[in-house]
């Protein structure tokens, strides 16, 4: 037994003690010296397959180790751990096989009971790993697990215990699943895939192919929990679109695919760890028996079923109370209602309890009336599986089964200290009071000792809130004077209000007589004999697509169209023609009306294909370039063996299959170009054909975007803005433009927009690009003025050797250049803007802005003032007066670049044709010079050559080449009045795949904003 001392001031465990008893709790030996006097233990595990093997985990904050004992805790060996253990999962059969889940989402395995560990897989979802099951999985050492891909995607994979490599890793489900959705339970595997905001649930039976779970058409589930998978049937709790705090119960056929409604509006609540708790209780010892709390007209009522949800009824209240007074409770207005929560704490009992070893006995807390109440709670018991109930206490008690149900022990459930318990030998009819301690004790829990006759209990608690734990051993063996003999047993017939045929059989159990006071012992086992019954209508439930009416008949739902042909005809030659009914799973009735209600197998008639469906395996309408796309083709009706399937992928490729069964695993295809493809599937036989169409968006991952925009714009003059993508071909793209403080964006499908700034000032332009599942954005700042002047700058060649061509470097150098120009010319810093342009050779541009105080409302004076400033600055530049020190020993000279004496833009109202021709000539020549220089420049360690032939590399241009981007080696004197817009010239490249930047080549991702400091 492990005890821990928690320090509330420190908020942690500061001490632990390990205790061992070999005499059923009479004496205890403290084992701290054997595990380490200062060792703080966190958890104790006992092997479920060998009780002699015990594992202890230390507190990883102090020491990360585990201790192993193979002699029932007498001695221990310590082993260091390289990871923090969050949880362990023991193999159900192999006693030395263990899975360990770590804090960093890694799963480890050991085949030596923790002595050595091996990493199985990384990024494993918590509590989503399972051992294989014998008879279902191919090998015993197989692990089912869910691996995380992203916040919205996961994968279901299977791994070998000691060799989980990509080569032998299995992927039973063809595609991504929703995170935390994998459930492996008995012979079923469940996953969830959300498509269009709506979840689709898939099931695999006996490790076969996955099939969508078929709930009634308009269930539209918001949430689904698998409650039970016993006896080849799935019980699922589904929260439908119009439910908030209740769930509907659905039951399946043996395949777990087709579901029908069993009970509506079952109450749910949130557990202590945020988990959903459904008020449904499966009674132990009797197959097919459930209790459920249903909300009806805002009242919670308890219902019971004996045939797995086919029929439900209210509980008949006891006829009298503890004092023997009659209880007037008439169905359906008044009944017994029970609290159905079981305890997650192994040392305390919940609100309800039943045992496999004591069939028919159920103990629960509840109330009598029109609805379930949390006040005036009493304890009730039934000895005949819920047919009749007796009140045993008028307040809540914890009731435990002793001697495998031969006796019952009750301890008052109260926060007050107690010193008495009650014992019953006759299934709760008479209770005897016993004192277990002389001083009242706050009871924290009860330990059931695994003695031969299970008649020893240990109650642990504390005398006061500041005292240490107290353990009280109670040995009931002295009360029993003999072992039970055959004469002490009787037969008991299971029934439901007198009806003995339940689940198609009459069941007769061997039970202890209520008057017998003897020990059954650990070797006792429940014996039951059964006799089959003739089938009646009550042995059949409504088939999928059918609903039970008030008269009990199953008729088609309004959305269901019964067909003369089952979907099985698409892959076989016969089908089951449903009668609207199906036998309840595990019902063993024979004869009777079985032929009337059982579906009949008929040969498939010849029929044209109908109900053809074409989807991707992930349920999406988009796919990545150069990645496998798996198409799934389903045919609802038609002779599948004689129906051919032709798939046209929309890119000039297609394939034809002779029948439907040959494409069960899907059809894979790889697209080599982005675009929207019309994918079609055509099913055809001698009687007709049908076509299904899917429009698939093939996209390339968008790496980044760049907003190409001028640095300075003219008021009331249109400006062109261009968003350039990398890669340039990514598929369907949406552009969202935000201008200044406008609250509404402009949305376009083109990468360029024109915008006019009506006011002077600084404006921030943001463009967001949505491509596939990614959204990227870029932002630029534009200074708007009515008049300005600009000019290109060149530098001494030694600057190129120190230019890494990154945005941050350009910002810093722009600031240094501006300071140097202000010092040399004494120009007002607020009138000067400088920006270094991307690329090599290094170039820059400066802008002169008007002084508002001197030129407000005086256009002529404004232009004259700007001309004077420009002459002053150019004079300083031409006389080499603008210099700066880049680093010690590296002096940089700034020059005025010259291309032509003619202005790039005529400032007069009438533009001359000669001037415009000169402008275009200068731009084209400058562009050619820049491209030749850029493509021929050698980067150290890497040689790039410009060529467009097939066997030579292509250099992708990320943005349109503009006069500011393709900087010539000499400059122009640009007297700009209109906005200096980029020239719309882009290298035309059509990649057939997503081209990634070379790992050793860094591409500039943005044009700089101006510097104003």
């Amino acid at each position: 037994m492990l005890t821990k001392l928690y320090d509330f001031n420190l908020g942690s465990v500061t001490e632990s003690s390990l205790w061992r008893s070999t005499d059923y709790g009479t004496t205890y030996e403290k084992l701290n010296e054997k595990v380490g006097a200062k060792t703080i233990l966190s958890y104790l595990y006992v092997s479920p397959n060998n009780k002699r093997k015990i594992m202890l985990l230390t507190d990883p904050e102090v020491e990360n180790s585990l201790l192993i004992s193979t002699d029932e805790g007498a001695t221990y060996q310590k082993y260091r751990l390289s990871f923090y253990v969050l949880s362990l999962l023991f193999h159900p059969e192999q006693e030395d096989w263990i899975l360990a889940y770590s804090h960093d989402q890694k799963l480890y395995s050991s085949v030596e009971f923790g002595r050595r560990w091996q990493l199985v897989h990384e990024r494993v979802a918590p509590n989503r790993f399972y051992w294989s099951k014998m008879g279902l999985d191919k090998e015993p050492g197989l692990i089912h697990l869910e691996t995380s891909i992203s916040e919205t995607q996961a994968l279901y994979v299977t791994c070998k215990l000691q060799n989980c490599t990509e080569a032998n890793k299995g992927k039973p489900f063809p595609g991504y699943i929703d995170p935390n959705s994998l459930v492996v339970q008995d012979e079923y595997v469940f996953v969830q895939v959300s498509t269009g905001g709506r979840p689709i649930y898939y099931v695999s039976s006996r490790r076969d192919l996955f099939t969508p779970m078929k709930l009634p058409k308009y269930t539209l589930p918001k949430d689904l929990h698998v409650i039970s998978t016993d006896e080849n049937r799935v019980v699922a709790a589904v929260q439908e679109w119009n439910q908030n705090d209740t769930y509907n119960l659905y039951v399946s056929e043996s395949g777990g695919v087709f579901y029908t409604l069993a009970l509506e509006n079952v109450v749910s609540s949130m557990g202590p760890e945020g988990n959903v708790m459904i008020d449904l209780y499966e009674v132990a010892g009797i197959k097919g028996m459930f209790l459920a709390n249903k909300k009806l007209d805002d009242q919670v009522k308890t219902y019971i079923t004996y045939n797995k949800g086919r029929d439900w009824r209210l509980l008949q209240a006891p006829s009298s109370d503890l004092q023997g007074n009659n209880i007037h409770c008439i169905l359906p207005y008044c009944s017994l209602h029970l609290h159905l929560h079981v305890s997650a704490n192994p040392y305390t009992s919940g609100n309800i309890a039943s045992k496999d070893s004591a069939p028919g006995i159920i103990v629960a807390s509840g109330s009598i009336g029109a609805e379930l109440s949390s006040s005036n709670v009493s304890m009730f018991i039934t000895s005949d599986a819920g047919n009749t109930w007796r009140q045993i206490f008028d307040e809540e008690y914890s009731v435990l089964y002793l001697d495998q149900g031969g006796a019952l022990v009750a301890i008052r459930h109260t926060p007050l200290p107690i010193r008495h318990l009650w014992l019953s030998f006759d299934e709760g009819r008479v209770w005897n009071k016993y004192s277990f301690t002389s001083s009242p004790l706050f009871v924290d829990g009860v330990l059931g000792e695994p003695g031969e006759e299970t008649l020893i209990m240990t109650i642990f608690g504390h005398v006061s809130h500041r005292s240490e734990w107290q353990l009280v051993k109670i040995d009931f063996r002295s009360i029993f004077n003999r072992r039970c003999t055959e004469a002490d047993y009787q037969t008991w017939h299971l029934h439901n209000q007198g009806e003995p045929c339940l689940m198609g059989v009459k069941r007769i159990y061997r039970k202890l007589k209520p008057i017998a006071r003897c020990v059954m012992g650990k070797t006792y086992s429940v014996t039951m004999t059964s006799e089959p019954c003739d089938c009646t209508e009550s042995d059949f439930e409504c088939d999928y697509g059918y609903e039970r009416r008030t008269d009990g008949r199953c008729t088609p739902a309004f959305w269901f169209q019964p067909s003369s042909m089952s979907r099985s005809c698409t892959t076989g030659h016969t089908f089951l023609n449903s009668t609207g009914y199906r036998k309840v799973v595990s019902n063993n009735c024979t004869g009777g009306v079985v032929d009337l209600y059982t579906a009949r197998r008929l040969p498939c008639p010849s029929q044209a294909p109908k109900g053809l469906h074409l989807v991707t395996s992930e349920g999406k309408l988009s796919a990545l370039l150069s990645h496998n796309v798996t198409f799934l083709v389903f045919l609802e009706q038609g002779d599948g063996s004689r129906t051919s399937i032709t798939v046209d992928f929309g890119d000039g490729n297609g394939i034809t299959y002779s029948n439907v069964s040959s494409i069960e695993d899907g059809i894979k295809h790889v697209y080599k170009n982005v675009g929207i493809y019309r994918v079609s599937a055509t099913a055809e036989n001698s009687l007709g054909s049908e076509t299904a169409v899917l429009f698939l968006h093939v996209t390339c991952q968008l790496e980044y975007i760049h907003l190409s925009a001028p640095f300075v714009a003219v008021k009331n003059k249109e400006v062109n803005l261009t968003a350039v993508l990398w890669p340039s071909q990514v598929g369907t793209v949406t552009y969202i433009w935000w201008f200044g403080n406008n609250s509404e964006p402009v949305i376009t499908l083109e990468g360029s927009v024109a915008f006019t700034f009506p006011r002077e000032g600084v404006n921030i332009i943001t463009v967001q690009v949505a491509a596939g599942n990614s959204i990227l954005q870029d932002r630029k700042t534009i200074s708007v003025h009515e008049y300005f002047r600009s000019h290109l700058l060149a530098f001494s060649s030694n600057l190129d050797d120190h230019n890494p061509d990154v945005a941050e470097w350009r910002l810093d150098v722009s600031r240094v250049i501006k300071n140097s120009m202000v010092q040399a010319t004494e120009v007002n810093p607020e009138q000067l803007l400088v920006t270094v342009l991307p690329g090599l050779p290094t170039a820059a541009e400066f802008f002169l802005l008007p002084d508002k105080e001197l030129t407000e409302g005086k256009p002529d004076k404004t232009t004259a003032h700007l001309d004077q400033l420009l002459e002053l600055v150019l004079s300083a530049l031409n006389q080499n007066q603008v210099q700066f020190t880049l680093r010690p020993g590296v002096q940089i000279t700034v020059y005025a670049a010259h291309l032509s004496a003619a202005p790039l833009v005529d400032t007069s109202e009438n533009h001359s044709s000669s001037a415009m021709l000169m402008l275009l000539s200068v731009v084209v020549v400058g562009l050619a010079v820049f491209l030749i220089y850029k493509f021929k420049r050698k980067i150290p360690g890497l040689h790039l050559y410009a060529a467009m032939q097939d066997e030579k590399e292509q250099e992708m241009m990320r943005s349109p080449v503009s006069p500011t981007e393709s900087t010539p080696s000499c400059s122009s004197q640009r007297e700009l009045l209109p906005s200096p817009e980029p020239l719309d010239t882009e290298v035309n490249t059509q990649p057939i795949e997503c081209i990634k930047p070379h790992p050793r080549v860094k591409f500039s991702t943005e044009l700089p904003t101006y510097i104003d400091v």
Side-chain angles (χ1 to χ4, degrees):
M1 182 171 61
L2 175 64
T3 61
K4 293 182 282 188
L5 178 63
Y6 185 84
D7 191 320
F8 287 93
N9 294 323
L10 297 177
S12 63
V13 175
T14 58
E15 183 182 332
S16 68
S17 297
L18 185 65
W19 306 85
R20 181 174 184 259
S21 174
T22 57
D23 52 9
Y24 303 119
T26 301
T27 60
Y28 282 89
E29 176 191 2
K30 192 173 184 179
L31 304 179
N32 282 31
E33 293 297 330
K34 294 186 177 181
V35 299
K38 296 183 179 181
T39 299
I40 299 178
L41 302 175
S42 295
Y43 296 100
L44 183 153
Y45 296 91
V46 179
S47 170
N49 302 303
N50 186 348
K51 303 301 181 183
R52 296 181 59 85
K53 293 187 175 182
I54 298 173
M55 180 181 292
L56 299 169
L57 293 179
T58 62
D59 185 347
E61 297 295 331
V62 180
E63 177 188 4
N64 193 25
S65 303
L66 61 80
L67 296 100
I68 296 174
S69 172
T70 58
D71 52 9
E72 295 183 317
T75 59
Y76 290 90
Q77 291 179 309
K78 181 179 288 188
Y79 298 87
R80 295 286 182 180
L81 287 175
S82 60
F83 58 93
Y84 292 172
V85 176
L86 288 184
S87 63
L88 294 178
L89 182 64
F90 292 85
H91 194 278
E93 297 169 355
Q94 300 289 337
E95 61 184 55
D96 291 335
W97 292 8
I98 309 173
L99 295 178
Y101 186 72
S102 69
H103 71 291
D104 54 355
Q105 294 188 315
K106 294 180 180 179
L107 187 66
Y108 296 84
S109 68
S110 173
V111 294
E112 301 177 52
F113 200 73
R115 293 175 179 83
R116 293 183 180 86
W117 295 91
Q118 179 174 328
L119 178 65
V120 177
H121 209 288
E122 298 181 346
R123 296 178 61 84
V124 177
N127 301 318
R128 301 293 173 178
F129 46 92
Y130 309 85
W131 285 109
S132 58
K133 188 174 179 65
M134 289 296 292
L136 292 174
D137 292 287
K138 297 179 180 179
E139 51 187 294
L142 201 66
I143 305 169
H144 302 262
L145 52 91
E146 176 186 312
T147 62
S148 301
I149 302 300
S150 66
E151 292 184 358
T152 58
Q153 291 180 325
L155 279 177
Y156 165 34
V157 300
T158 56
C159 270
K160 291 185 178 180
L161 177 62
Q162 294 287 295
N163 188 22
C164 186
T165 62
E166 288 296 328
N168 60 31
K169 188 185 301 182
K171 295 181 180 179
F173 186 80
Y176 295 117
I177 65 174
D178 290 351
N180 298 310
S181 70
L182 174 66
V183 175
V184 181
Q185 192 166 314
D186 295 326
E187 64 183 71
Y188 300 98
V189 181
F190 304 89
V191 296
Q192 173 185 319
V193 179
S194 293
T195 303
R198 183 178 298 175
I200 300 176
Y201 301 93
Y202 291 84
V203 62
S204 167
S205 176
R206 303 195 64 82
R207 309 301 188 257
D208 204 346
L209 296 176
F210 278 89
T211 305
M213 296 169 62
K214 302 290 286 187
L215 294 162
K217 186 174 183 178
Y218 293 107
T219 300
L220 306 180
K222 295 191 296 185
D223 192 21
L224 183 147
H225 297 274
V226 176
I227 303 298
S228 172
T229 54
D230 290 343
E231 297 187 311
N232 304 319
R233 154 177 266 202
V234 179
V235 178
V238 179
Q239 188 171 61
E240 302 190 19
W241 63 275
N242 56 351
Q243 293 178 304
N244 294 316
D245 57 353
T246 61
Y247 283 71
N248 289 349
L249 287 183
Y250 287 89
V251 293
S252 77
E253 32 64 74
S254 59
V257 176
F258 296 96
Y259 291 78
T260 58
L261 180 66
L263 186 66
E264 292 182 292
N265 295 320
V266 179
V267 176
S268 69
S269 59
M270 296 301 295
E273 298 181 357
N275 54 310
V276 176
M277 301 177 64
I278 310 296
D279 269 21
L280 178 71
Y281 180 76
E282 186 172 4
V283 178
I286 299 179
K287 296 296 184 181
M289 186 176 174
F290 290 85
L291 291 161
N293 283 331
K294 174 182 177 179
K295 179 177 282 189
L296 182 66
D297 298 329
D298 293 327
Q299 293 181 326
V300 177
K301 300 175 182 288
T302 301
Y303 288 78
I304 190 171
T305 180
Y306 295 86
N307 53 8
K308 291 193 171 182
R310 196 281 189 190
D311 299 292
W312 297 84
R313 66 170 175 84
L314 294 167
L315 298 180
Q316 178 65 60
S319 58
S320 60
D321 59 15
L322 284 175
Q323 289 72 38
N325 301 317
N326 291 334
I327 297 177
H328 300 284
C329 185
I330 307 300
L331 294 172
Y333 310 104
C334 174
S335 59
L336 174 63
H337 311 286
L338 305 177
H339 294 280
L340 302 179
H341 287 170
V342 296
S343 175
N345 186 341
Y347 308 121
T348 61
S349 66
N351 301 118
I352 186 170
S354 62
K355 295 291 183 182
D356 288 326
S357 59
I361 300 178
I362 308 170
V363 184
S365 63
S367 59
I368 298 173
E371 62 177 328
L372 180 64
S373 173
S374 297
S375 59
N376 300 321
V377 176
S378 301
M379 297 299 299
F380 300 90
I381 190 171
T382 177
S383 303
D384 56 4
N387 285 281
T388 60
W389 294 82
R390 301 184 305 275
Q391 185 180 7
I392 54 177
F393 297 105
D394 57 5
E395 53 187 337
E396 284 195 84
Y397 277 70
S398 295
V399 179
L400 300 103
Y401 289 73
L402 196 66
D403 189 28
Q404 304 199 55
L408 299 173
V409 178
I411 302 175
R412 187 182 175 192
H413 186 69
T414 174
L416 301 175
I418 59 175
R419 61 190 183 94
H420 295 102
L421 57 76
W422 281 258
L423 184 64
S424 174
F425 302 96
D426 56 1
E427 299 178 342
R429 292 175 176 84
V430 177
W431 293 86
N432 299 313
K433 186 177 181 180
Y434 294 86
S435 176
F436 66 88
T437 178
S438 57
S439 301
L441 187 71
F442 292 94
V443 176
D444 294 318
V446 179
L447 292 170
E449 298 297 336
E452 178 186 355
E453 298 168 350
T454 62
L455 294 173
I456 299 175
M457 295 172 50
T458 300
I459 298 177
F460 62 94
H462 49 279
V463 177
S464 67
H465 292 294
R466 295 183 177 273
S467 70
E468 295 183 346
W469 266 356
Q470 303 291 319
L471 277 75
V472 179
K473 174 188 174 182
I474 306 174
D475 192 341
F476 293 98
R477 288 178 294 182
S478 61
I479 299 177
F480 300 89
N481 52 19
R482 63 184 178 85
R483 297 187 68 89
C484 297
T485 64
E486 191 62 33
D488 294 310
Y489 294 94
Q490 65 179 4
T491 58
W492 171 65
H493 295 257
L494 175 65
H495 65 95
N496 175 16
Q497 294 182 325
E499 173 55 56
C501 288
L502 300 176
M503 295 295 293
V505 295
K506 296 177 182 178
R507 280 176 276 182
I508 304 173
Y509 292 86
R510 176 174 172 264
K511 292 180 60 173
L512 193 66
K513 293 178 180 179
I515 61 173
R517 182 178 291 196
C518 58
V519 178
M520 291 191 295
K522 189 178 181 181
T523 58
Y524 166 78
S525 61
V526 177
T527 58
M528 186 267 292
T529 59
S530 61
E531 177 184 338
C533 299
D534 289 340
C535 291
T536 65
E537 188 269 343
S538 63
D539 296 309
F540 294 82
E541 62 191 2
C542 292
D543 202 352
Y544 174 75
Y546 292 81
E547 297 175 337
R548 190 173 300 280
R549 304 304 180 186
T550 55
D551 61 0
R553 294 186 305 110
C554 294
T555 58
F558 77 93
W559 50 266
F560 185 67
Q561 297 180 357
S563 172
S564 62
M565 178 176 173
S566 170
R567 188 174 170 181
S568 61
C569 281
T570 61
T571 56
H573 300 283
T574 61
F575 74 101
L576 288 174
N577 186 21
S578 176
T579 62
Y581 298 83
R582 68 186 185 194
K583 185 189 285 189
V584 175
V585 176
S586 299
N587 187 295
N588 294 317
C589 72
T590 59
V593 298
V594 64
D595 292 335
L596 180 63
Y597 289 98
T598 302
R600 299 169 182 84
R601 184 163 294 279
L602 301 175
C604 292
S606 298
Q607 189 175 0
K610 186 177 181 181
L612 184 66
H613 298 273
L614 173 64
V615 297
T616 62
S617 61
E618 298 179 9
K620 297 181 178 180
L621 297 176
S622 62
L624 284 176
L625 189 70
S626 299
H627 285 66
N628 261 323
V629 185
T630 302
F631 295 97
L632 303 178
V633 180
F634 302 104
L635 183 62
E636 291 185 358
Q637 298 179 20
D639 187 352
S641 62
R642 299 183 180 89
T643 300
S644 65
I645 301 293
T646 301
V647 178
D648 183 350
F649 299 109
D651 60 351
N653 296 307
I655 191 169
T656 299
Y657 296 88
S658 60
N659 55 63
V660 175
S661 60
S662 57
I663 57 173
E664 290 181 351
D665 295 334
I667 306 167
K668 299 184 184 299
H669 186 65
V670 176
Y671 287 90
K672 297 183 178 180
N673 292 284
V674 298
I676 303 176
Y677 294 90
R678 183 184 185 274
V679 185
S680 64
T682 302
E684 185 176 8
N685 60 25
S686 59
L687 298 177
S689 64
E690 183 166 291
T691 299
V693 175
L694 181 151
F695 293 95
L696 184 70
H697 293 242
V698 177
T699 62
C700 185
Q701 182 65 40
L702 180 62
E703 298 291 338
Y704 56 78
I705 67 169
H706 157 63
L707 175 58
S708 177
F711 311 113
V712 182
V714 178
K715 172 185 173 183
N716 293 326
K717 293 290 185 178
E718 195 174 72
V719 176
N720 285 333
L721 307 171
T722 301
V724 184
L725 313 183
W726 176 259
S728 60
Q729 302 294 325
V730 295
T732 307
V733 177
T734 302
Y735 300 84
I736 303 99
W737 306 84
W738 303 85
F739 297 97
N741 296 323
N742 292 348
S743 59
E744 295 293 332
V746 175
I747 301 176
T748 68
L749 297 178
E750 298 293 334
S752 297
V753 295
F755 189 77
T756 301
F757 296 96
R759 292 180 297 275
E760 292 187 285
V762 176
N763 291 269
I764 298 177
I765 311 301
T766 302
V767 60
Q768 294 179 323
V769 179
N773 294 325
S774 63
I775 299 180
L776 300 181
Q777 75 173 28
D778 192 15
R779 179 180 288 119
K780 290 293 182 289
T781 302
I782 299 177
S783 182
V784 179
H785 298 278
E786 193 165 1
Y787 303 95
F788 64 87
R789 295 290 187 272
S790 70
H791 201 91
L792 293 174
L793 297 174
F795 304 92
S796 51
S797 59
N798 55 343
L799 181 59
D800 289 350
D801 297 332
H802 302 278
N803 183 356
D805 198 19
V806 295
E808 292 81 3
W809 184 89
R810 293 193 293 270
L811 291 175
D812 291 334
V813 173
S814 297
R815 183 165 46 250
V816 173
I817 296 171
K818 175 178 177 178
N819 293 336
S820 300
M821 294 178 66
V822 170
Q823 292 177 4
T825 61
E826 296 184 352
V827 173
N828 185 351
E830 296 183 359
Q831 293 183 257
L832 179 63
L833 303 178
V834 177
T835 181
V836 176
L837 305 176
L840 293 170
T842 308
E845 188 172 11
F846 73 86
F847 299 86
L848 293 173
L849 309 178
D851 187 339
K852 294 296 183 183
E853 295 182 359
L854 299 177
T855 62
E856 187 70 35
K858 303 174 183 177
D860 295 338
K861 191 172 183 180
T862 298
T863 55
H865 178 66
L866 289 176
D867 290 340
Q868 293 175 359
L869 286 179
L870 182 60
E871 291 180 4
L872 175 64
V873 173
L874 291 178
S875 175
L877 291 169
N878 292 332
Q879 298 177 32
N880 297 337
Q881 296 178 4
V882 182
Q883 297 182 350
F884 63 91
T885 301
L886 186 66
R887 56 189 302 179
V890 180
Q891 190 74 12
I892 306 299
T893 304
V894 184
Y895 307 100
H898 295 280
L899 274 179
S900 170
L904 284 177
V905 178
D906 191 359
T907 61
S908 64
E909 293 293 332
N910 299 318
H911 304 282
S912 67
S913 59
S914 60
M916 293 301 295
L917 182 59
M918 180 65 70
L919 169 62
L920 293 176
S921 302
V922 168
V923 171
V924 171
V925 171
L927 175 59
V929 171
F930 170 70
L931 288 175
I932 293 172
Y933 182 93
K934 182 173 179 63
F935 281 130
K936 282 186 172 291
R937 182 175 187 247
K938 295 184 179 180
I939 299 175
L942 179 69
H943 302 281
L944 296 181
Y945 300 93
M948 299 303 291
Q949 282 73 23
D950 291 341
E951 297 181 356
K952 298 182 181 180
E953 294 182 2
Q954 297 184 24
E955 179 172 349
M956 297 291 297
M957 299 298 295
R958 297 177 302 97
S959 61
V961 180
S962 68
T964 60
E965 292 171 316
S966 55
T967 309
S969 57
C970 51
S971 71
S972 63
Q973 179 181 354
R974 301 203 298 169
E975 302 177 6
L976 298 179
L977 281 180
S979 168
E981 300 175 3
L983 184 65
D984 288 318
T985 305
E986 183 176 359
V987 177
N988 183 19
T989 57
Q990 298 284 337
I992 65 170
E993 60 180 354
C994 298
I995 299 179
K996 303 291 184 182
H998 193 284
R1000 296 183 59 187
V1001 179
K1002 184 178 292 184
F1003 293 91
S1004 175
T1005 61
E1006 58 178 302
L1007 286 175
T1009 55
Y1010 65 87
I1011 300 301
D1012 184 10
V1013 293

